Every structure is written in structure tokens, then in C-alpha cells.
Amino acid sequence: MARASGLRLQFRSVLIAGMALMIWIQALHAQSSNGLSPHYYHKSCPEALSIIKSGIEDAVKKEARIAASLLRLHFHDCFVKGCDASVLLDDTANFTGEKTAAPNKNSVRGFGVVDKIKSELEKKCPGVVSCADLLAVAARDSVVISGGPVWDVPLGRRDSRSASKNRATTNIPAPPQPIRHWKPNSNSKGSNSLGPGLVLSGGHSIGLSRCTSFKARLYNQTGNGKPDPTLDTTYLKQLRIVCPQNGTDDNQTVPLDPVTPFKFDVNYYKNIVASKGLLNSDEILYSTNGSKTAAYVKFYTTHTQAFFQQFAVSMIKMSNLSPLTGTRGEIRKNCRKMN
Ligand code: HEM
Ligand SMILES: *[C@@H]1O[C@H](CO)[C@@H](O)[C@H](O)[C@H]1NC(C)=O
Ligand SMILES: *[C@@H]1O[C@H](CO)[C@@H](O)[C@H](O)[C@H]1NC(C)=O
Ligand SMILES: *[C@@H]1O[C@H](CO)[C@@H](O)[C@H](O)[C@H]1NC(C)=O
Ligand SMILES: *[C@@H]1O[C@H](CO)[C@@H](O)[C@H](O)[C@H]1NC(C)=O
Ligand SMILES: *[C@@H]1O[C@H](CO)[C@@H](O)[C@H](O)[C@H]1NC(C)=O
């Protein structure tokens, strides 16, 4: 008996080692194919990573939520013309950026922290570290400080000299969008949609959402005057208190994961299984019985390490979306405006 289970255990660890290797190779491939490298600033700004890290630590001490906000900021950057810091550009009299696009307006945040870190970087290494790389590293550090996985961030992105409000409106998924319409890589190589999309939604393990992003579920999901039947009734009641039907302030916020709002863990998936996913886009991953995503959701509820590994791999993929390298773009001095 003991020997048999020992063998099984050995077999399992070989399997796990094999899987880890595959993930590692995938990650390596993702890193080397586009000119980005984790050691990009090794000589030109050796302090870059530690400056960003301590900037995140300071910011999180002041406000726990900021980690979530910075993770999301990187996502919203990458989905619009690639990870090029386009999301950071302010509107001016003759320029329209992405900040007023529907998925961003009154919602994305963290710009002040980015400014602060950038000014530290400029003090040490003027004109060297891009705002796009800052966002990618800040997202990683935010996940780490929240208790999530760590990964090496390929670096060497440059900053855009343009933005697209239009694409920010259409490319960033809205809450009612089923995951099948969400193809994270459709604007790059078109490969794999389901896996990364599903596991990256695990980012909702941390942070807050405004009432406006899910209120329809509480009162009038399909226009029949009824709440979303997939929502747990106790949870529904709690949410209705914060977001009254005829209330006028839909800026009120609730945690995306009420169990551990600022800890990066698998409670996000456990909530979904318990009919307590907050956003439609979360709930939809599970509620279609027999769907491929439902099996993953269930799997992740009990497999933290698998979730962490896949999340890290998928973050690298997302971070690698259409970087500007070589002489394309620029290294902005101020993340809010072009040089
Ligand atoms: C199906 C795709 C997704 C949809 C529909 C979606 C939608 C949303 C919405 C509606 C909010 C609340 C915003 C508000 O009310 O102000 C939110 C918050 C958030 N999202 Fe997503 N999201 C998606 C994917 C992702 C991904 C891929 C990540 C990161 C890997 C992510 C990270 C976050 C985080 C961390 C927050 C909380 C931000 C904060 O507290 O400031 N989301 N998302
Ligand atoms: C836009 O306005 C700024 C001043 O706000 C000016 O410096 C810049 O040259 C203008 N750009 C274009 C393309 O007109
Ligand atoms: C629910 O939505 C439908 C369609 O948008 C609308 O006609 C109806 O008045 C709404 N009901 C309530 C109670 O808000
Ligand atoms: C809110 O307004 C709707 C009509 O739009 C009404 O049917 C409903 O009873 C009101 N709810 C509350 C709690 O007053
Ligand atoms: C939400 O807050 C923004 C500013 O942060 C404000 O412009 C908007 O009117 C607010 N919306 C509501 C419904 O209170
Ligand atoms: C699907 O339905 C079966 C039988 O009703 C149930 O046992 C199972 O938990 C459901 N799975 C999901 C993912 O909802």
C-alpha cells in the first residue's frame, strides 16, 4: 500500500514537474520572442526595479486598494494598442486620450502613484525607464504584495506617442460580456483565448467595484424587473443595501471578493461557485453548467499553485502585447504627456 501510494506520489510529482517545465518554456518563449528581457535595465538603471517596488510598498501602506488599481491599470493599458502607457496620457485641448473612455472614466485609478514612482526613476536615471515598463512592473509588484505569485517581467517597452479612446471603448471588456467574446490575444497573434482570459479574471481576487458596474444584476438583469437568478439571495440583499435601486450615487464601492478583498487568492473562484461572483463577467464563467470555464473555476477553488502559475504565465503574455521597441515610441519624461 505504502509503496503504491509512494509511486503514485512520485508519478504526480513528475507530472507536476513536467507541467512546471512546460509553463517555464512557454514563459521563456514569450520573453525572448519580442526583444523584451527581464534584465533590460540591468546596466542602464540598476535601481529601477527596487525604486518601483518601494514605491508600491509606500502606496499600499497608505491605501490597500491601490495594488488592485495598479494591476487593473496595466490591463487597461495592454488591451489598447498594446502595453505602451497610452492609458496614462492626459486629455489636452488638442489631444484626446483614453481616460474618458467608458471602461476607464471615474474608474481607473493610480495615476498619482505612477507619477510619484516615475519622478523617483527620473531622479536616478533620467530618460531611461519607460512608463509602460513601470506599469508592467507595478502590476507584478502589486500582485506580489497582495500575496500572489511572483514572475520576472520582460522589459524594454517604450511609450506611445498616441492613444485611442475609441479602442479603449471597444477593446476593454464590459461586465456583461461573456468570456467567449473576450479574446485577450486577438489584437496580437490570435492564439489561445480561453485559458488566459479565464485565469486573468482571477485579478478580481483583489479590489473594488462601483455599484454601477453590477447594479442591473440586483434589480433588472434582463429587463423583466427581476434580479439575476444566479445571484445568492443573502449576497443579493447585502449588495442591495449598498446599492439601492433608486439611489443616485452609483459610485459606492464593494469588494470584488468580499471574503479577502485585498488578498490575492482563490476565494474569487470559491465565491463564484457559491453564486457570489460580483460581476456578470465573473458569474458567467461558472453558471453555464458543463462549460469548459466552469470546470476551470471549480479546479482553481482548490488549486492555488496551479492558479498562481497560470496567472503568472498569462500576465507575461498580456504584458507582451504589441510592445514598442527599438526606435518606435519614446521614453516619456512625464507619464501624462508626450515629450
Ligand atoms: C472579462 C474581463 C473583465 C471585465 C469585464 C472586467 C470588469 C471590471 C469592472 C467592471 C471592474 C469594476 C470597475 C468599477 O466599477 O470602477 C473591475 C475592477 C477590477 N478589475 Fe477587471 N475586468 C476584467 C478583467 C480583468 C483583468 C484581466 C484584470 C487583471 C489581470 C482585472 C483586474 C481588475 C482589478 C484589480 C479591479 C479592481 C480595481 C480597483 O479596485 O481599483 N480585470 N473589472
Ligand atoms: C497641442 O497643444 C500644445 C499646447 O497645449 C502644443 O504644445 C502642441 O504643439 C499642440 N500639438 C499639436 C499637434 O497641435
Ligand atoms: C427594467 O428594464 C426594462 C428594459 O430596460 C424597463 O423597461 C423596465 O422599466 C425596467 N424595470 C424597472 C423596475 O426598472
Ligand atoms: C424604485 O423605482 C421604481 C420605478 O422606477 C419602482 O418600481 C420601485 O418601487 C422603486 N424602489 C424603491 C425601493 O423605492
Ligand atoms: C461619480 O463620481 C464622479 C467623479 O468622481 C462624478 O463625476 C459622477 O457624477 C459621480 N456619479 C454619481 C452617480 O454620483
Ligand atoms: C452541473 O449540474 C450538476 C447536476 O445538476 C451539478 O451536480 C454540478 O455541480 C453542476 N456544475 C456546475 C459547474 O454548475
Side-chain angles (χ1 to χ4, degrees), residues 75-325:
F75 162 49
H76 282 210
D77 179 28
C78 294
F79 262 48
V80 184
K81 306 190 306 98
C83 313
D84 60 0
S86 56
V87 72
L88 300 179
L89 292 170
D90 278 341
D91 283 15
T92 66
N94 56 14
F95 177 83
T96 304
E98 294 163 12
K99 290 181 179 179
T100 58
N104 291 335
K105 195 176 178 187
N106 298 330
S107 182
V108 281
R109 54 203 297 285
F111 301 112
V113 173
V114 170
D115 290 342
K116 205 167 169 217
I117 294 174
K118 176 64 172 171
S119 73
E120 291 301 315
L121 289 168
E122 287 301 298
K123 267 186 227 159
K124 274 273 190 250
C125 328
V128 172
V129 183
S130 69
C131 301
D133 278 347
L134 194 174
L135 285 181
V137 176
R140 189 271 313 271
D141 290 350
S142 292
V143 169
V144 172
I145 206 167
S146 307
V150 62
W151 62 95
D152 285 339
V153 183
L155 297 167
R157 298 165 193 78
R158 291 163 64 86
D159 302 323
S160 69
R161 290 191 48 82
S162 63
S164 175
K165 178 173 177 175
N166 204 18
R167 283 201 250 170
T169 309
T170 53
N171 287 12
I172 300 171
Q177 266 174 322
I179 198 77
R180 66 175 173 278
H181 292 313
W182 187 37
K183 301 191 187 89
N185 286 352
S186 60
N187 47 357
S188 64
K189 306 285 171 276
S191 62
N192 62 66
S193 49
L194 186 67
L198 174 75
V199 76
L200 285 178
S201 290
H204 289 173
S205 171
I206 54 175
L208 310 179
S209 170
R210 295 165 304 155
C211 292
T212 188
S213 299
F214 58 86
K215 196 169 170 181
R217 298 189 72 202
L218 311 184
Y219 300 102
N220 201 3
Q221 173 76 349
T222 54
N224 65 357
K226 296 211 168 79
D228 186 337
T230 66
L231 209 50
D232 173 81
T233 50
T234 309
Y235 189 44
L236 172 66
K237 274 187 201 140
Q238 291 165 349
L239 292 173
R240 281 180 160 183
I241 293 169
V242 187
C243 313
Q245 180 169 23
N246 303 324
T248 48
D249 186 7
D250 288 344
N251 285 326
Q252 293 294 319
T253 54
V254 300
L256 285 156
D257 164 12
V259 183
T260 49
F262 302 114
K263 190 166 186 310
F264 194 94
D265 56 23
V266 295
N267 279 332
Y268 165 76
Y269 293 104
K270 289 185 182 170
N271 296 338
I272 295 178
V273 170
S275 305
K276 293 174 181 175
L278 183 63
L279 304 179
N280 227 296
S281 61
D282 301 323
E283 169 271 320
I284 204 105
L285 297 174
Y286 190 70
S287 60
T288 312
N289 198 348
S291 73
K292 231 172 164 181
T293 57
Y296 270 103
V297 167
K298 200 154 192 179
F299 177 75
Y300 286 141
T301 58
T302 53
H303 292 81
T304 299
Q305 284 317 311
F307 167 52
F308 278 14
Q309 273 175 343
Q310 281 305 319
F311 188 82
V313 167
S314 300
M315 279 299 290
I316 292 173
K317 279 187 184 158
M318 186 179 84
S319 293
N320 282 353
L321 286 172
S322 312
L324 297 172
T325 54

